[in-house]
């Protein structure tokens, strides 16, 4: 049986400490603050990051270098036969494309998964990949299974401010100005590659209600599983844990009996959406693990 290592990046929300308990490896995503490079969860805490963000530091994201990817692949192949790398969605970062190019030099021993996941849904993919490896699947089989189910997830997210999307060039200054002036709380959606507009809410309360109803609709109509028997229910947030815990209670009431996993969003995502964001997400259980 092939010994398969599972590799991901910190956009999965998996910390370095958690990765050791899970038996996986996490590449810290690099980003720049006022021209200085930082590595997520290595030399900057969440609190330090949000303090810099609040003070309008110049923050930009990057991706692991070709050399960094090669170093991780080489190190993991010392003790493993194959590597499965699960980066963030190719629609949101160039890491997947770069890694696929680098993997071409490893004669099939490194398989890069392009299954359009991010944050808590990406974390679930990492857990699924580890479980598949433990069941004896090889790297190519794991990649094929994860990509076959790439559309079996959904994320809805509401933002406290459009300031950071505007700053990062994700929306036009005019759209941001109108949204701020009207005090809109946008609800955004990720189903597949891109971050898309889903709805406009006048209040946070309305935005949360929209997200819960959208998730109920996905359970019933996208996944034909209104009771969530074959679903994972997930949540994410930026900085404000108290607000996230309050929202979690509302989501739990809407989906009684379901276990909810909640994690903070990674810093390289947070710098584009700012503090105060709330998200609800789901992933369908992989049939190959239920058999």
């Amino acid at each position: 049986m092939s010994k398969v290592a599972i590799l991901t990046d910190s956009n999965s929300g998996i910390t370095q400490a958690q990765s050791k308990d899970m038996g996986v490896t996490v590449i810290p995503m690099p980003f720049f603050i006022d021209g200085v490079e930082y590595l997520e969860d290595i030399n900057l805490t969440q609190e330090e990051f949000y303090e810099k963000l609040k003070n309008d530091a110049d923050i930009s994201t990057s991706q692991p270098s070709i050399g960094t990817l090669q170093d991780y692949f080489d190190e993991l192949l010392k003790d493993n036969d194959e590597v499965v790398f699960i980066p963030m969605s190719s629609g949101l970062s160039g890491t997947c494309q770069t890694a696929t190019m680098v993997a071409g030099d490893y004669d099939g021993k490194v398989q890069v998964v392009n299954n359009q996941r991010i944050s808590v849904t990406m974390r679930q993919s990492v857990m699924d990949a580890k479980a598949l490896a433990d069941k004896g699947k090889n790297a190519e089989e794991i990649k094929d299974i994860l990509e076959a189910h790439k559309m079996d997830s959904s994320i809805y997210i509401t933002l406290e401010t459009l300031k950071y999307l505007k700053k990062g060039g994700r929306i036009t200054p005019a759209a941001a100005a109108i949204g701020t002036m009207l005090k809109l709380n946008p609800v955004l959606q990720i189903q597949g590659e891109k971050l898309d507009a889903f709805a406009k809410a006048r209040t946070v309360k309305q935005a949360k209600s929209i997200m819960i109803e959208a998730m109920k609709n996905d359970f019933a109509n996208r996944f034909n599983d209104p009771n969530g028997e074959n679903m994972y229910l997930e949540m994410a947030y930026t900085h404000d844990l108290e607000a996230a815990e309050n929202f979690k209670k509302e989501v739990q009431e809407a989906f009684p009996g379901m276990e909810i996993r909640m994690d903070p969003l990674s810093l390289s995502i947070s710098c584009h959406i700012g503090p105060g964001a709330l998200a609800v997400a789901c992933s369908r259980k992989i049939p190959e693990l239920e058999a």
Side-chain angles (χ1 to χ4, degrees), residues 163-176:
K163 171 183 175 180
Y164 300 98
L165 279 177
K166 173 189 173 185
K167 194 173 182 180
R170 265 56 180 182
I171 59 173
T172 65

Side-chain angles (χ1 to χ4, degrees), residues 46 49-50 53 164 237-238 264-275:
Q46 289 249 341
F49 170 82
Y50 283 110
L53 192 68
Y164 300 98
Y237 66 96
T238 56
L265 281 162
S266 74
L267 299 183
S268 54
I269 301 171
S270 301
C271 75
H272 292 303
I273 60 178

Side-chain angles (χ1 to χ4, degrees), residues 107-207:
D107 299 321
K109 292 181 180 179
V110 176
Q111 297 288 330
V112 180
V113 177
N114 184 14
N115 70 332
Q116 315 298 351
R117 300 296 176 92
I118 186 67
S119 185
V120 284
T121 62
M122 182 176 166
R123 179 194 182 97
Q124 186 58 52
S125 287
V126 174
M127 295 171 69
D128 290 341
K130 183 68 171 67
L132 288 165
D134 291 344
K135 285 191 71 168
K137 300 293 186 184
N138 65 35
E140 187 174 11
E141 288 172 328
I142 294 170
K143 168 188 163 74
D144 289 345
I145 289 169
L146 293 182
E147 290 185 350
H149 300 291
K150 70 179 183 178
M151 295 304 292
D152 292 348
S153 72
S154 190
I155 299 176
Y156 297 95
I157 183 168
T158 187
L159 312 182
E160 189 175 83
T161 174
L162 297 171
K163 171 183 175 180
Y164 300 98
L165 279 177
K166 173 189 173 185
K167 194 173 182 180
R170 265 56 180 182
I171 59 173
T172 65
I178 292 171
T180 302
M181 184 172 63
L182 296 177
K183 291 183 170 54
L184 294 176
N185 290 90
V187 175
L188 308 178
Q189 174 188 47
I190 302 176
Q191 286 181 2
E193 289 189 6
K194 298 292 186 180
L195 179 68
D196 294 319
F198 180 74
K200 294 176 183 176
R202 293 290 180 186
T203 63
V204 174
K205 181 179 179 181
Q206 185 184 22

Side-chain angles (χ1 to χ4, degrees), residues 155-158 211 234-237 247 262 265 277-281:
I155 299 176
Y156 297 95
I157 183 168
T158 187
M211 291 194 292
E234 305 141 339
M235 294 181 64
Y237 66 96
F247 184 36
M262 186 168 72
L265 281 162
L278 297 169
V280 61

Side-chain angles (χ1 to χ4, degrees), residues 15 32 58 77 79-80 108 137 171 195 210 215 229 240:
T15 67
F32 292 87
D58 182 20
L77 286 170
D79 298 314
N80 297 275
K137 300 293 186 184
I171 59 173
L195 179 68
I210 288 171
M215 191 57 65
E229 293 175 3
D240 193 340

